[in-house]
Amino acid sequence: MAEIEKTFVVEKTCPICEKTFRVVKTRSRLMVLKRDEDACTHYENFNPYYYTIWICEHCGFAADETTFTTKIPDRHLTILRAVLLTKNIKIPFVEERTLGEASTAFRLALKYLDLIHGKASKKAKYAHQLAWIYREAGDKTQEDEFLAKAAAFYEEALMRESFPIGELTDNAVIYLVAAIYNRLGDRQKATSYLSKLISDQGVREREPRIHDKARDLWSDMRAAKKK
Ligand SMILES: [Zn+2]
């Protein structure tokens, strides 16, 4: 029950099959318990990442809210419709997702991004949030698998995409990649990304928050090494 009170259901139109489907949205007033150094936020008694991905209950299309509410290019619609409208994929609507259902939502969303050769930055975001869901559930093996994917997608985005993407700057992504590699125990890669940020005077001046976070992670890593 507690979970349902934190969410509400709205109806939207699916860009793929054009039918009306139901979406669970999260109320914005959630109590933050803590934030991990790689941006995963923990809330009291609730995990909003379970609902990041919308799924159309009729055709099975899955993506984040931005994708559903922004015009999808025609060439992508053609590819997605060719797959979704012929396969009769039905994903039943649920008001409270289980870990399995949330994970399926992310996996489907990643699969559709592959189909349309979608942006690495978006794949990174999905993989990263899926890792966070496993982190909360205490499944370290799956968490690490998706953290590694997220890092690789973020690195691809750094090479191929132009930043900022929304509010995400390239330095913010470099920081995230460093934080992920540190979690995965790859100190060498983490250090090389962090040193880029710390030694860059421009980051210190223009993005002091990123600079400070990089310094904090650097000193946490040194403290951990001493132990
Ligand atoms: Zn649909």
Side-chain angles (χ1 to χ4, degrees):
M1 275 311 284
E3 183 152 329
I4 287 177
E5 286 158 18
K6 293 187 170 67
T7 61
F8 56 102
V9 177
V10 293
E11 293 195 333
K12 298 282 171 181
T13 305
C14 174
I16 308 299
C17 69
E18 295 173 334
K19 289 180 185 157
T20 302
F21 69 101
R22 288 165 291 175
V23 178
V24 172
K25 293 198 76 167
T26 305
R27 293 188 199 282
S28 49
R29 287 177 159 274
L30 291 174
M31 175 92 129
V32 174
L33 291 179
K34 65 162 183 160
R35 276 197 185 90
D36 297 337
E37 82 297 348
D38 70 340
C40 174
T41 308
H42 300 261
Y43 300 88
E44 193 171 57
N45 301 323
F46 185 69
N47 188 343
Y49 303 124
Y50 273 44
Y51 302 96
T52 308
I53 299 296
W54 293 10
I55 301 183
C56 169
E57 60 200 287
H58 307 292
C59 71
F61 183 55
D64 62 4
E65 176 170 357
T66 313
T67 307
F68 266 96
T69 54
T70 314
K71 191 180 171 349
I72 297 176
D74 287 340
R75 62 183 195 286
H76 292 169
L77 280 178
T78 309
I79 297 168
L80 291 165
R81 282 183 180 145
V83 173
L84 288 166
L85 302 185
T86 52
K87 287 209 171 149
N88 200 26
I89 305 164
K90 290 245 189 305
I91 309 277
F93 172 76
V94 287
E95 218 170 316
E96 265 186 89
R97 283 183 183 166
T98 60
L99 171 68
E101 285 159 350
S103 139
T104 300
F106 279 109
R107 285 164 196 265
L108 281 174
L110 280 165
K111 197 158 129 182
Y112 301 142
L113 273 180
D114 264 347
L115 277 179
I116 58 165
H117 305 291
K119 289 215 164 114
S121 54
K122 191 161 263 192
K123 290 183 195 171
K125 190 179 127 196
Y126 291 176
H128 202 177
Q129 292 192 3
L130 180 50
W132 293 343
I133 281 180
Y134 286 123
R135 180 179 304 167
E136 197 213 23
D139 186 337
K140 177 99 171 88
T141 310
Q142 301 253 39
E143 181 196 339
D144 284 358
E145 182 188 331
F146 283 93
L147 280 180
K149 285 187 180 170
F153 288 139
Y154 280 131
E155 287 176 310
E156 191 186 329
L158 284 170
M159 282 189 291
R160 291 170 198 244
E161 295 178 35
S162 38
F163 286 86
I165 298 168
E167 289 179 358
L168 195 67
T169 64
D170 50 351
N171 289 321
V173 172
I174 292 172
Y175 169 79
L176 283 177
V177 176
I180 291 174
Y181 278 125
N182 181 47
R183 279 201 169 246
L184 291 171
D186 192 334
R187 198 183 297 268
Q188 203 180 350
K189 276 192 180 165
T191 306
S192 108
Y193 279 107
L194 278 184
S195 59
K196 273 186 207 176
L197 295 175
I198 293 170
S199 62
D200 186 337
Q201 187 63 27
V203 177
R204 191 199 294 247
E205 280 161 14
R206 287 187 303 274
E207 295 177 272
R209 252 189 82 239
I210 306 272
H211 177 82
D212 291 351
K213 288 202 306 189
R215 285 290 296 266
D216 287 349
L217 183 56
W218 185 274
S219 52
D220 287 353
M221 281 169 63
R222 285 181 57 163
K225 199 181 172 186
K226 277 189 190 143
K227 274 186 201 161

